[in-house]
């Protein structure tokens, strides 16, 4: 039986298809008066708008109504170890404006978040929007996050961020709901929405300065009880010296340290990709070995979680084919046959805005759910 709240009725309209009141009566089984009243409430808060008429066999054509995806906006902030992107998105998750720059996450939350908020305010104004149009703000950071509070918890590559109240800092200037998550979770949301919308079970692995995973099962992002689900970077890799963890074995800094081990050259993590592109055989072999190490941990994930798609992203994951080749080599050999029989292991294709798109989708899922929409209507009253 269809629930009778206006928020539940709105969920039908989120697909963007215009409908007449009669069509909504047929879809929901509600009385026409109930549908009319709920549509009036949704129109009052700006989420539903008239859009033309339907063809009629006789009499006056029936008016159509649809989700007004331009009625409000949200902001997505994607912070990595060395990059930052801020974007303004409409209510369909489409990026309207964005801006990126090189950052150093180790400079601490005050400097980095001040830049992000300044950029968000500028992009909001450039989009012709005001703060009252802002539905919410999503923030992704490269470390473990307690999602319920928005505070990073002992993030290994984010000195000064431990326990920092990101939502409170952002709300000093942007008065809206602020949601914070690990950047890999948001990349998983963005990649699925743009590239794999029909896939319910997806594992996204980011290989860059750090290594982590975003897990989507049954179409739902899995955070675990505290938000640490997918933190594979600190899983020990079988067979490595001193049982080193995955980040210490296969991340960009780990590969750079290996290439610099004899002291003849000092390779920076950001130079690893260029060394491979130039045909440095030692760098190529190191990348392939790093891919195999990631494959060892990924194989365990595949056997336990049984995704239909594994997406490999991050600076190394997308740009270094030896990484994904090493992952495939081990996963197809080590995971159980039933789990890998139809498994796709592919490079990320969501592009540079996947992180902010995922941040925006996190906001939309939270702020446009049935209960949240009903709350917006109550606030109007």
């Amino acid at each position: 039986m269809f629930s009778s709240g206006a928020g539940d009725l709105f969920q039908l309209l989120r697909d963007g298809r215009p409908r007449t009141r009669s069509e909504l009566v047929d879809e929901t089984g509600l009385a026409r008066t109930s549908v009319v009243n709920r549509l009036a409430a949704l129109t009052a808060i700006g989420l539903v708008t008239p859009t033309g008429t339907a063809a009629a066999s006789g009499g006056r054509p029936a008016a159509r109504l649809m989700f007004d995806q331009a009625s409000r906006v949200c902001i997505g902030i994607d912070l990595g170890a060395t990059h930052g992107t801020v974007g303004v998105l409409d209510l369909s998750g489409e990026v309207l404006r964005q801006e990126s720059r090189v950052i150093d996450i180790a400079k601490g939350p005050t400097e980095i978040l001040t830049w992000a908020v300044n950029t968000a305010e500028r992009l909001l104004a450039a989009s012709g929007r005001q703060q009252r149009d802002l539905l919410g703000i999503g923030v992704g950071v490269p470390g473990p996050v307690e999602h319920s509070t928005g505070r990073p918890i002992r993030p290994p590559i984010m000195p000064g961020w431990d326990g920092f109240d990101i939502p409170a800092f952002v709300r000093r200037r942007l008065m809206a709901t602020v949601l914070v998550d690990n950047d890999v979770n948001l990349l998983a949301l963005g990649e699925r929405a743009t590239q794999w919308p029909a896939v319910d079970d997806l594992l996204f692995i980011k290989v860059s300065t750090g290594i982590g995973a975003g897990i989507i099962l049954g179409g739902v992002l899995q955070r675990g009880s505290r938000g640490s689900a997918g933190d594979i970077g600190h899983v020990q890799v079988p067979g490595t010296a001193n049982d080193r963890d995955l980040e210490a074995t296969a991340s960009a800094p780990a590969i750079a340290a290996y290439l610099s081990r004899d002291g003849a050259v000092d390779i920076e993590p950001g130079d690893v990709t260029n060394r491979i592109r130039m045909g440095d055989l030692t760098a190529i072999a190191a990348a392939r070995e790093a891919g195999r190490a990631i494959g060892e941990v990924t194989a365990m994930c595949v056997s336990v979680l049984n995704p239909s798609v594994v997406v490999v992203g991050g600076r190394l994951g997308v740009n270094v084919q030896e990484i994904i080749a090493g992952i495939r080599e081990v996963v197809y050999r080590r995971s159980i046959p039933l789990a890998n029989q139809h498994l796709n292991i592919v490079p990320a294709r969501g592009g540079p805005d996947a992180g902010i798109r995922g941040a925006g989708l996190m906001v939309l899922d939270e702020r446009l759910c049935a209960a949240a929409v009903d709350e917006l209507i109550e606030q109007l009253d």
Side-chain angles (χ1 to χ4, degrees):
M1 181 177 177
F2 188 84
S3 179
S4 59
D8 293 288
L9 181 65
F10 174 68
Q11 302 310 306
L12 290 177
L13 295 165
R14 284 189 67 182
D15 64 5
R17 182 168 68 85
R19 293 169 171 85
T20 65
R21 292 172 176 84
S22 295
E23 288 171 336
L24 287 169
V25 167
D26 291 341
E27 284 190 57
T28 63
L30 295 173
R32 183 176 182 83
T33 302
S34 298
V35 169
V36 169
N37 289 340
R38 284 150 181 75
L39 288 173
L42 293 170
T43 302
I45 60 172
L47 290 180
V48 169
T49 187
T51 176
T53 57
S57 57
R60 189 172 63 182
R64 289 186 184 274
L65 298 103
M66 67 179 295
F67 174 25
D68 187 357
Q69 298 172 342
S71 61
R72 299 192 185 195
V73 293
C74 61
I75 288 172
I77 299 173
D78 175 29
L79 301 176
T82 59
H83 80 277
T85 304
V86 180
V88 176
L89 302 89
D90 67 16
L91 298 189
S92 72
E94 189 67 27
V95 178
L96 304 176
R97 288 180 180 270
Q98 64 175 297
E99 184 175 316
S100 301
R101 62 165 282 186
V102 174
I103 64 170
D104 180 0
I105 202 73
K107 289 186 175 180
T110 300
E111 179 175 336
I112 299 302
L113 290 175
T114 297
W115 165 77
V117 172
N118 288 343
T119 304
E121 288 181 331
R122 187 170 62 254
L123 293 176
L124 200 60
S127 302
R129 299 290 188 160
Q130 300 180 26
Q131 286 211 27
R132 66 169 178 264
D133 300 323
L134 193 53
L135 185 69
I137 302 150
V139 183
V141 296
V145 174
E146 187 176 52
H147 182 66
S148 60
T149 65
R151 295 173 184 262
I153 304 298
R154 298 183 181 179
I157 63 171
M158 299 171 64
W161 290 77
D162 184 28
F164 188 83
D165 193 343
I166 295 175
F169 185 94
V170 174
R171 281 197 300 266
R172 292 177 191 171
R173 303 254 302 274
L174 296 170
M175 298 303 295
T177 298
V178 180
L179 303 173
V180 187
D181 208 339
N182 180 276
D183 62 341
V184 189
N185 284 344
L186 303 186
L187 287 170
L189 288 175
E191 187 78 16
R192 177 177 179 250
T194 58
Q195 306 298 321
W196 303 93
V199 170
D200 286 335
D201 305 294
L202 179 146
L203 179 67
F204 188 102
I205 297 175
K206 180 183 177 182
V207 187
S208 191
T209 305
I211 299 175
I215 304 165
I216 296 175
L217 297 177
V220 179
L221 179 67
Q222 304 298 316
R223 295 186 175 94
S225 64
R226 295 290 301 278
S228 67
D231 189 8
I232 63 172
H234 299 100
V235 173
Q236 292 183 336
V237 181
T240 57
N242 301 318
D243 287 327
R244 291 180 300 169
D245 67 28
L246 188 57
E247 278 190 8
T249 303
S251 65
I255 297 174
Y258 174 78
L259 297 177
S260 306
R261 68 193 183 283
D262 59 6
V265 290
D266 185 17
I267 306 296
E268 294 293 325
D271 296 331
V272 170
T273 300
N274 289 334
R275 302 283 297 196
I276 293 168
R277 285 175 174 168
M278 290 188 300
D280 184 323
L281 295 180
T282 303
I284 291 171
R288 183 68 179 239
E289 200 57 40
R292 293 188 181 108
I294 299 167
E296 292 284 353
V297 175
T298 304
M300 296 183 229
C301 295
V302 166
S303 293
V304 172
L305 302 174
N306 191 203
S308 52
V309 177
V310 173
V311 179
V312 184
R315 186 171 67 247
L316 290 185
V318 171
N319 296 316
V320 179
Q321 64 180 2
E322 285 78 11
I323 294 285
I324 196 167
I327 293 172
R328 286 172 173 154
E329 174 189 335
V330 175
V331 169
Y332 288 127
R333 186 178 75 244
R334 304 274 289 204
S335 59
I336 63 174
L338 183 60
N340 68 37
Q341 186 175 14
H342 301 292
L343 177 68
N344 288 313
I345 303 176
V346 297
R349 298 179 305 203
D353 63 0
I356 56 171
R357 194 182 295 273
L361 290 171
M362 174 175 64
V363 171
L364 297 179
D365 286 345
E366 176 87 9
R367 300 290 290 135
L368 292 181
C369 70
V373 170
D374 286 337
E375 184 178 330
L376 286 174
I377 292 171
E378 289 175 7
Q379 291 171 357
L380 187 67
D381 295 338

